[in-house]
Amino acid sequence: GTKKKAACPGLGLFYTVLSAFLFSVASLFLKKIEDVHSVEVSAFRCVFQMAFVLPGLIYYKTGFLGPKGKRIFLFFRGFLGSSAMILLYYAFQVMPLADATVITFSSPVFTSLLAWIFLKEKYSVWDLLFTLFAITGVVLIARPPFLFGSDVTGIEGSYTDHLKGTIAAITSTVSAASTFVILRKVGKSVHYFLSIWYYAVIGLIGCVIALFVMNEWRLPYCGKDRVLLILIGLLGLGGQIFLTKALQIEKAGPVAIMKTMDVVFAFILQILFLNHLPTWWTVGGALCVVASSSGTAIRKWRQSLKKAKQNEI
């Protein structure tokens, strides 16, 4: 018989790094857009995702609504996932790129906490320690005046905007963690394309309603912003595709650890293209968050390997 071609070693990790780079560049372009609201950018991103997913839904014949018993989960997955995207884009616009990226990187820690609450998954002392590390990192980045005083340095614009961005980033992180819990609950009974479809459709509807309520809908005045909008949509879609490919051929633990490159790229792009040097508070917060999320990923990875060995026995 013919032998199956061996997979390229490290290809999944390379896809993860490439995904992190594409997401980071998309975030940089978002900060370069001058007069487009974050909700409108999110709407364009949803349109690109719908255009990509629609042929897949038709090809795999999944339908547009999904199994009857899973539709409520898909709805909340779409609502929470799109809300996380909108809030993240807002955070990118009003606070330093590295700060927002670091806060959202604490998502695995919140996922473990929510999985313990709603899915009754095991939550150990180590998980609690990693959660406290992540919260410490977020506090170092937010630097609330009652702890650090009123003279806060190294932020963009006013502290009020910085605080709003921090709250948006934290809410985005919790929303993203909630979507992971929902996807775990649904399992493999729903096709991945259908999950993205709900995300894009519900996100687009929510964005359009919000834009008309806020009276913020308008086309960019200059050609540069229009090009950046298209690039954000393409880069975001590319980042999601490569991350999905990485998870298909590599274990989740190594992928989660390699995703720390999100933070590295955010720091590099912020220094090179935005001329904004991060403060030592941000660096300290980043180390806390990266340590907590990496620790969580390593623990989950070891648990999965241990379980696999037990199943073999």
Side-chain angles (χ1 to χ4, degrees):
T2 57
K3 284 187 177 181
K4 187 179 179 180
K5 189 177 179 181
C8 178
L11 183 62
L13 300 182
F14 171 74
Y15 283 155
T16 307
V17 174
L18 184 57
S19 167
F21 178 73
L22 294 178
F23 279 134
S24 299
V25 175
S27 304
L28 174 66
F29 288 163
L30 180 63
K31 292 193 73 67
K32 289 289 187 180
I33 291 181
E34 296 175 356
D35 197 30
V36 180
H37 199 279
S38 57
V39 178
E40 186 172 347
V41 180
S42 303
F44 274 92
R45 168 79 182 271
C46 289
V47 169
F48 272 92
Q49 285 192 281
M50 288 175 65
F52 168 75
V53 171
L54 185 59
L57 292 178
I58 296 171
Y59 178 78
Y60 289 107
K61 299 178 181 178
T62 61
F64 296 96
L65 297 177
K68 285 186 177 181
K70 305 295 182 181
R71 289 174 188 175
I72 185 67
F73 294 111
L74 286 168
F75 171 80
F76 280 110
R77 182 268 183 271
F79 175 75
L80 291 169
S82 57
S83 298
M85 174 184 62
I86 295 167
L87 290 166
L88 177 59
Y89 281 5
Y90 175 76
F92 279 140
Q93 285 190 330
V94 299
M95 68 188 301
L97 180 63
D99 290 21
T101 303
V102 168
I103 292 174
T104 56
F105 199 72
S106 60
S107 180
V109 180
F110 290 106
T111 302
S112 296
L113 181 60
L114 293 173
W116 171 60
I117 295 172
F118 294 105
L119 302 180
K120 308 302 179 185
E121 293 186 4
K122 188 177 179 181
Y123 192 78
S124 66
V125 176
W126 280 106
D127 292 313
L128 177 60
L129 182 63
F130 293 142
T131 302
L132 294 175
F133 255 90
I135 293 172
T136 302
V138 172
V139 169
L140 289 176
I141 292 171
R143 281 166 283 165
F146 67 89
L147 288 177
F148 294 84
S150 58
D151 187 19
V152 180
T153 58
I155 63 174
E156 290 180 2
S158 65
Y159 182 76
T160 302
D161 285 340
H162 183 79
L163 186 59
K164 288 180 181 177
T166 302
I167 294 171
I170 294 171
T171 309
S172 170
T173 302
V174 175
S175 297
S178 301
T179 63
F180 289 134
V181 173
I182 291 172
L183 289 173
R184 282 188 196 179
K185 178 72 175 177
V186 172
K188 296 181 180 179
S189 60
V190 175
H191 198 280
Y192 177 75
F193 276 149
L194 195 59
S195 175
I196 301 179
W197 174 255
Y198 267 82
Y199 175 106
V201 171
I202 294 174
L204 181 60
I205 293 171
C207 288
V208 171
I209 294 172
L211 287 169
F212 277 105
V213 170
M214 297 185 299
N215 196 25
E216 288 284 350
W217 176 262
R218 58 181 176 272
L219 286 173
Y221 292 116
C222 66
K224 185 190 79 170
D225 283 350
R226 295 177 188 180
V227 172
L228 289 177
L229 269 177
I230 295 171
L231 289 176
I232 288 170
L234 291 174
L235 290 169
L237 182 59
Q240 193 165 48
I241 291 171
F242 281 114
L243 183 58
T244 306
K245 292 281 289 181
L247 289 168
Q248 285 176 341
I249 62 177
E250 185 61 79
K251 288 182 171 60
V255 170
I257 296 168
M258 191 59 69
K259 268 188 67 63
T260 54
M261 291 302 296
D262 284 24
V263 178
V264 175
F265 286 134
F267 274 99
I268 293 173
L269 294 176
Q270 178 176 298
I271 294 170
L272 291 180
F273 297 100
L274 301 176
N275 298 318
H276 188 95
L277 287 172
T279 64
W280 286 110
W281 293 116
T282 298
V283 174
L287 291 175
C288 288
V289 171
V290 169
S292 65
S293 58
S294 298
T296 301
I298 291 170
R299 281 202 75 251
K300 297 294 182 185
W301 182 24
R302 290 183 63 183
Q303 286 174 357
S304 65
L305 291 176
K306 186 178 179 181
K307 189 175 179 180
K309 286 183 180 179
Q310 288 176 347
N311 291 334
E312 286 177 5
I313 295 171

